[in-house]
Amino acid sequence: MKIKIKYSLFTSVLLLVVSASLGQQQEYASWTLEEVQEAIDHCKVKTERTIVNLEGYDKSPRTIPADSKHWEAKPTGGWTSGFWAGILWYVYEGTGSEKIKIEAEKFTNEIETILSVPVKSHDLGFIFQCSYGNGYRLTKNGAYKKTLLIAADSLSHLYNPSVGTILSWPAQVSNKVFSPHNTIIDNMMNLELLFEASKLSTNKKYYKMAVSHANVTAKNQVRPNNTVYHVLIYDDRTGKALRKATHQGFSDESVWARGQGWGIYGYAMGYRETANRKYLKIADKLAKAYLKRLSKDYVPFWDFDDPAIPNTPKDASAASIVASAFLELSELHNKRAKKELYRTWAEKMLRSLSSPSYLSGSRNDAFLIHSTGNKPRNREVDIPIIYADYYYIEALVRLKKILQSEMAGKQMPKR
Ligand code: GLY
């Protein structure tokens, strides 16, 4: 109890300092376990509604168009294919619902069909880690382990040893847009599948590839001001960095909010998997650069440098990715000040996302509204997108486990 009082006092002081330095940031109270559970239960209700509306298991929700209340489902195969199964696994973890677990298994099993075709992009990490990865973490089902190893091996075929990174978009090489070798910041997320495979097998090549990818990306893709480039184009034979560009950002030199989020999350995860403090430092620097640019309601505009701000869409997906990453950072850091800093910011981000401004409520079947997929191409702009919901429920479940551990008076186990 004594610890709890000290903790709250420290949090409040920190909150005051942070908000004073930022002017008019919205103030929010920290979450209680009951509130987190309520938010998770709300997600369960939404999820059950979607299950009823989906036909079959070979399609998964991707977006809710502006004129609809229900998810538009896409055939299994695209980069977002694993998020729905992942949401179901997190809802199962957060509620214990056996009914949801059965649905998670059914949607997960369907995703394996992708592996019968040659690997098309780095997204195998997103697809398989979110679905099979979470399934394996929660059930230790040997069939999931087998699939994860096949998916990781498939992903490893995109690794170019001359460059030291995975080729993110083979299609953009064929059509000569980002050629001869491209690596996007999002690709940091897919390293988790390689780290997982190295733990599940005796083959350490996956670990070495992931580490090389993280190092080369840190060298070439992080700007001096600690924001990130979206796309790096390399010479595929010499490994020389040829060009820095964007695909989904406002401009090559702008700061695409979700890209910054992938970087923060990716390097936090990299530190979790390697214990290399260099990655933790990078995550810290990227996080600082993100916070410096963040809107007063803790949800960023889709690109921090869009000159149309504030008359341009927000991206709730970036906020949920960063909230989840910040909770991980709060657990990875040993120093109390850093732990508290990340925890406080994450809780504020989650409060804002859980407010009527971003929670869909009765508007539609998603958890969150106001995400932006690809603004430059006017695709999936200011609508619900499945990966925003995935990282939102992941963050809620992470927060629940942290609060439970604190109540039990012990440290949170590693993910
Ligand atoms: N990884 C694709 C995106 O963030 O839109």
Side-chain angles (χ1 to χ4, degrees):
M1 193 59 199
K2 203 169 158 199
I3 294 167
K4 178 93 182 143
I5 291 164
K6 266 194 191 164
Y7 174 90
S8 313
L9 194 67
F10 188 83
T11 308
S12 325
V13 173
L14 198 81
L15 268 170
L16 281 175
V17 173
V18 168
S19 32
S21 68
L22 287 169
Q24 308 117 346
Q25 293 274 9
Q26 183 76 47
E27 264 313 320
Y28 290 118
S30 36
W31 288 73
T32 63
L33 182 57
E34 290 71 28
E35 286 174 319
V36 178
Q37 189 60 55
E38 222 173 276
I40 293 172
D41 290 344
H42 173 74
C43 292
K44 177 171 173 269
V45 171
K46 289 276 174 136
T47 304
E48 284 167 342
R49 205 170 293 163
T50 299
I51 289 169
V52 172
N53 287 323
L54 287 174
E55 287 159 14
Y57 293 94
D58 57 345
K59 288 188 187 145
S60 63
R62 171 143 177 163
T63 55
I64 299 185
D67 57 358
S68 176
K69 274 174 125 28
H70 307 305
W71 287 104
E72 195 170 67
K74 298 275 180 198
T76 302
W79 85 275
T80 58
S81 300
F83 290 119
W84 173 243
I87 287 171
L88 294 168
W89 284 117
Y90 275 123
V91 173
Y92 163 60
E93 187 177 8
T95 64
S97 163
E98 287 296 324
K99 203 179 128 209
I100 296 285
K101 184 187 176 197
I102 291 167
E103 295 295 324
E105 286 166 343
K106 286 183 177 167
F107 278 99
T108 297
N109 291 341
E110 192 60 40
I111 295 168
E112 201 177 7
T113 54
I114 300 173
L115 291 173
S116 58
V117 292
V119 54
K120 285 195 192 119
S121 83
H122 69 125
D123 293 319
L124 286 167
F126 279 112
I127 298 167
F128 283 90
Q129 194 57 28
C130 297
S131 54
Y132 285 82
N134 278 311
Y136 184 69
R137 182 174 62 82
L138 294 169
T139 65
K140 298 292 173 229
N141 179 338
Y144 293 170
K145 174 177 162 178
K146 217 169 130 194
T147 303
L148 284 166
L149 286 169
I150 296 169
D153 201 65
S154 197
L155 177 60
S156 75
H157 286 100
L158 290 176
Y159 182 77
N160 178 324
S162 304
V163 181
T165 69
I166 288 159
L167 169 64
S168 301
W169 289 328
Q172 302 278 21
V173 173
S174 319
N175 66 18
K176 302 209 172 351
V177 176
F178 296 128
S179 154
H181 179 96
N182 60 67
T183 298
I184 64 172
I185 193 68
D186 325 26
N187 205 149
M188 282 300 300
M189 301 294 286
N190 295 309
L191 304 185
E192 194 169 11
L193 178 63
L194 297 179
F195 284 126
E196 183 73 6
S198 82
K199 287 184 285 188
L200 296 178
S201 70
T202 50
N203 197 337
K204 295 301 158 212
K205 77 170 180 182
Y206 305 121
Y207 184 93
K208 286 184 189 152
M209 284 177 185
V211 166
S212 169
H213 184 109
N215 289 342
V216 174
T217 299
K219 181 168 164 245
N220 295 311
Q221 229 149 325
V222 179
R223 300 180 177 112
N225 69 358
N226 296 313
T227 62
V228 294
Y229 284 104
H230 184 198
V231 188
L232 242 290
I233 298 105
Y234 294 95
D235 185 306
D236 60 337
R237 283 168 302 174
T238 65
K240 189 170 177 244
L242 299 175
R243 190 158 69 86
K244 297 161 184 201
T246 197
H247 177 64
Q248 277 148 283
F250 176 78
S251 70
D252 292 347
E253 290 298 326
S254 73
V255 185
W256 176 46
R258 191 163 62 258
Q260 193 73 14
W262 292 141
I264 297 166
Y265 193 122
Y267 280 100
M269 178 274 297
Y271 173 66
R272 182 222 302 152
E273 296 298 332
T274 63
N276 184 345
R277 289 197 74 80
K278 171 179 149 179
Y279 298 152
L280 186 62
K281 280 194 189 130
I282 295 171
D284 281 342
K285 286 182 186 170
L286 301 188
K288 200 168 167 192
Y290 179 92
L291 291 175
K292 195 171 145 193
R293 291 162 176 78
L294 190 55
S295 309
K296 294 183 184 85
D297 70 351
Y298 309 100
V299 178
F301 289 100
W302 72 280
D303 189 298
F304 289 113
D305 296 315
D306 182 350
I309 287 174
N311 301 313
T312 198
K314 290 286 186 98
D315 183 12
S317 77
S320 58
I321 291 160
V322 173
S324 189
F326 273 26
L327 286 173
E328 170 134 65
L329 285 168
S330 78
E331 293 298 290
L332 292 172
H333 272 286
N334 293 323
K335 293 217 170 80
R336 201 166 78 162
K338 276 274 170 67
K339 287 174 102 57
E340 293 289 343
L341 182 83
Y342 283 117
R343 172 75 170 276
T344 305
W345 280 106
E347 291 201 31
K348 287 177 176 197
M349 290 168 194
L350 283 176
R351 278 268 182 230
S352 184
L353 290 172
S354 307
S355 75
S357 304
Y358 293 98
L359 209 61
S360 77
S362 57
R363 280 173 274 218
N364 57 55
D365 291 346
F367 307 156
L368 301 176
I369 52 177
H370 298 314
S371 288
T372 296
N374 192 336
K375 174 78 168 54
R377 280 156 197 80
N378 205 22
R379 284 206 298 260
E380 303 180 347
V381 176
D382 200 11
I383 55 171
I385 308 183
I386 197 70
Y387 43 85
D389 283 13
Y390 174 85
Y391 291 100
Y392 175 69
I393 185 82
E394 178 181 87
L396 289 174
V397 173
R398 281 183 172 177
L399 184 55
K400 176 180 171 179
K401 289 196 279 188
I402 292 170
L403 288 166
Q404 282 176 327
S405 298
E406 284 169 356
M407 286 173 82
K410 57 179 176 13
Q411 291 295 312
M412 187 186 163
K414 281 199 168 181
R415 188 176 178 276

